[in-house]
Every structure is written in C-alpha cells, then in structure tokens.
Amino acid sequence: MKIVILGVGGRLGGALLREYREKHDVAGFNHAQLDLASLGDVRRTLDAMNFDVLINAAAFTNVDACETERDRAFLINAEAPGVLAQICNAKDAKLIHFSTDYVFDGEKRAPYTEEDQANPISFYGESKFVGERNVLTAENGHLVVRVSWVFGPDRPSFIDAMIKRAQQDENVDAVSDKFSTPTYTHDLAQILPQFFDRAVEGGILHFANTGKCSWQEYAQWALDCCREAGISLKATTVGAVKLSDMTNWIARRPVYSVLSTAKYRELTGTAPRAWREAVADYITRSYAPTNEKSRKS
Ligand SMILES: NC(=O)c1ccc[n+]([C@@H]2O[C@H](COP(=O)([O-])OP(=O)(O)OC[C@H]3O[C@@H](n4cnc5c(N)ncnc54)[C@H](OP(=O)(O)O)[C@@H]3O)[C@@H](O)[C@H]2O)c1
C-alpha cells in the first residue's frame, strides 16, 4: 500500500511516519517541504504522485493564533483539506483527515458522539469544522478522525510542559474545570491502518484514550507516573486554577469535550486503553532514566 503523510514534522504526523515506514511504501512531507497554504504547489506535487491513502496530519493548531490570523487558519484548516479530497478523488485514493473535539461547544455533559451537532466557539474550531465538511462532501469514502488532547514523543505538548515545570519549580498548577481525554499518538498510529481500506458510515470517527479528566488530573497523573519511574521533580502536587483565570487566552475553549468512542468500539470490537495507562506507558518509554537519552526534546 502506498501512503503519503502530510505534517510529519508534527506530533501526530511524526508518530504516523515512524509507525508506517517499515510496513508500507510511505512518503512524508513536513511544512517546509509542502505548504498547505500554497494550494497550487499542493496540487502539482500530489497530482504527480501515486498513492492509495493520503493522511493529512498538518494543520494550523495554535488555537489563539487562529483567532487573529483567520484567513490563514481558513486556508490551511478548511480550504486545503477540500483540495486534498479532490486530489484523492481523481486518483480514487482515500483521504484520512484529522479533526478536533473543539468543533463542539462544550455544553454537553456526556461524551460527544459522531452524530452530535458541531457548534464551534473558536475560529480554530470553526475552520476545522469547515475542513471536515469539505472532506466529507467530496465523498469517495474519505474519513475524518476527531481526536482530543494529543500527546506523544514527536513534539512537546501539555503533559511535557507540566513535567518540565515540575522539574524546575515547586509550584505547578493546571485548569481543573475543563474536561476531555488525552489521545496517545502511539495508540492512534496502531489502530488507524484497519481503516485504510474500510469505509466508515457517515465518514466521521472519534478516537481518544478511554475515560475523562481535567487538565489538573491529567497533570497530576503525569507527575505521579514520573515519581513512580524515579524521575526527580521539585513539585509533586498540581494545584487547581479555573478556566476563567486564563485571562491571556484569546480563543474560547469548550469546557467539556470528551469524545465518545462507542462507534470505534462497535466497529472494531475493541476499546482504546484507559488514558492513565497510555500516559504511564508514554512516561516509561520517553522519560524513564534509561530512556532519557533517546527522548526527543
Ligand atoms: N494537539 C492537540 O491536542 C490536538 C487536539 C485535537 C485535534 N488535533 C488535530 O490533530 C491533528 C494533528 O495535530 P498535532 O497535535 O500533530 O499538531 P502539531 O504538532 O501542531 O502538528 C501540525 C503540523 O502541521 C504543520 N503545518 C502548519 N501549517 C502548515 C502548512 N501551512 N502547511 C503544511 N504544514 C503545516 C506544522 O508545521 P509547523 O509547526 O512547522 O508550522 C506541524 O508540523 C491536527 O489536525 C489537529 O487539528 C490536535
């Protein structure tokens, strides 16, 4: 199977490239190699290639910057995915495109299913939602995979920032009244190939590790795992701050955006592992003293 992955310089794209390059014929592009904002270049480059699956892990992911750079956010997150879908249609290839829990407004208090109405409250969420629609209206069996709170070794995320702060500072805090679920790039890379040549009804699939937590709980568990793994920290307890205290944030964020994985479980007969297990595994692989040298920073 010939696969092209966009966004291989990112957290998710990097993990997918590492996972698939041994088993498949894979070409990867990072931002410098292919800019999704240059739609002509995107068309010329991809039209000239042969592939069965195109995976788009590239996106303008800075949620606050999307508020102030709306045209750019729309071009990369909304328009470009539509162009990718058209390119795939012309080759009868499948597009797998990633989206976000931020397409929801966060008013619900039970996990969001694929059938729930999106109602973005930020421009990032809005641009990603239009991107989804542009992919799905192209039909051809394309797949939109919504994920939340992505973490993994290829680019630091919230969890790495918390561990770093706890190594440097005695006081660490995190938001305690915003809830979702972490998604480990390693786990997503493992499960995705079963959808390379399988149509999913409705074209949307939610995937995250199982469970629900606040950022404070997420950070506390990360520090607990570090302690367990013998990693020295100055802070061992994560204090609570409120979402309303984050006055430097520009974009609004959903308070509750847990993604239901019931559809994934129904389709595959398996459940994603619990987020605590996934975080513990990540810390053992990436932070445990014997692995420190191999960790990318
Ligand atoms: N991170 C999360 O918590 C999260 C949550 C929900 C959904 N998602 C979705 O998951 C997917 C993967 O995100 P991620 O966590 O891997 O984010 P990431 O680490 O920020 O990766 C995104 C990649 O896209 C690249 N990119 C940005 N603008 C581009 C452009 N114009 N042309 C080509 N490449 C461009 C970035 O390159 P530069 O850095 O060089 O600009 C980066 O390598 C995205 O669709 C995102 O919306 C992420």
Side-chain angles (χ1 to χ4, degrees):
M1 183 166 280
K2 287 196 168 93
I3 301 172
V4 173
I5 306 174
L6 309 182
V8 297
R11 195 175 299 131
L12 179 53
L16 299 179
L17 179 66
R18 188 157 20 77
E19 186 65 34
Y20 302 152
R21 70 177 151 204
E22 302 289 314
K23 298 173 200 142
H24 301 280
D25 180 355
V26 180
F29 292 90
N30 63 25
H31 191 166
Q33 291 163 328
L34 190 63
D35 185 351
L36 286 191
S38 305
L39 297 179
D41 286 348
V42 170
R43 280 200 188 89
R44 264 188 302 281
T45 305
L46 296 178
D47 278 346
M49 298 179 78
N50 278 326
F51 51 82
D52 306 295
V53 179
L54 174 63
I55 303 178
N56 180 31
F60 188 6
T61 56
N62 184 323
V63 176
D64 287 323
C66 284
E67 294 295 317
T68 50
E69 297 175 53
R70 292 185 172 207
D71 289 349
R72 187 171 163 70
F74 195 81
L75 183 56
I76 298 164
N77 292 344
E79 250 185 286
V83 169
L84 297 179
Q86 289 159 11
I87 293 168
C88 286
N89 283 10
K91 303 180 184 291
D92 204 21
K94 176 164 182 154
L95 174 62
I96 298 182
H97 174 72
F98 291 100
S99 192
T100 171
D101 53 325
Y102 278 25
V103 298
F104 295 114
D105 60 18
E107 295 298 322
K108 209 179 162 189
R109 288 296 173 270
Y112 281 97
T113 71
E114 290 81 352
E115 282 72 43
D116 279 322
Q117 184 59 48
N119 182 30
I121 56 171
S122 65
F123 199 76
Y124 168 72
E126 176 71 31
S127 66
K128 294 290 292 183
F129 180 52
V130 177
E132 291 184 355
R133 307 273 34 109
N134 287 344
V135 168
L136 295 175
T137 52
E139 297 178 340
N140 214 46
H142 302 317
L143 179 65
V144 170
V145 182
R146 291 189 185 129
V147 293
S148 54
W149 293 3
V150 176
F151 72 98
D154 297 276
R155 181 178 269 198
S157 65
F158 169 80
I159 184 174
D160 307 288
M162 286 291 126
I163 293 169
K164 195 171 173 192
R165 271 179 60 192
Q167 285 172 326
Q168 294 170 349
D169 204 324
E170 281 165 18
N171 296 307
V172 172
D173 50 39
V175 172
S176 61
D177 56 353
K178 176 177 170 14
F179 301 91
S180 191
T181 316
T183 307
Y184 188 13
T185 55
H186 172 78
D187 293 8
L188 180 51
Q190 296 286 326
I191 66 96
L192 199 63
Q194 57 194 311
F195 298 100
F196 285 174
D197 54 10
R198 178 175 180 179
V200 170
E201 208 187 323
I204 302 180
L205 188 68
H206 290 176
F207 185 85
N209 288 105
T210 298
K212 166 203 150 192
C213 58
S214 68
W215 271 348
Q216 183 197 18
E217 289 168 310
Y218 182 18
Q220 183 63 59
W221 178 246
L223 300 197
D224 292 348
C225 292
C226 284
R227 254 194 339 185
E228 183 70 22
I231 298 153
S232 74
L233 301 171
K234 284 189 178 163
T236 53
T237 304
V238 180
V241 288
K242 296 227 165 296
L243 195 53
S244 55
D245 295 331
M246 307 307 288
T247 49
N248 57 338
W249 283 353
I250 300 168
R252 286 179 68 209
R253 274 108 165 137
V255 167
Y256 178 97
S257 57
V258 177
L259 296 174
S260 164
T261 52
K263 183 173 178 180
Y264 170 79
R265 291 200 309 271
E266 203 175 293
L267 287 173
T268 64
T270 59
R273 62 179 161 166
W275 71 266
R276 285 181 191 274
E277 200 187 316
V279 168
D281 187 19
Y282 170 61
I283 287 172
T284 309
R285 284 171 188 254
S286 299
Y287 281 91
T290 49
N291 290 335
E292 251 170 15
K293 274 197 212 116
S294 63
R295 181 168 185 277
K296 287 174 76 175
S297 59

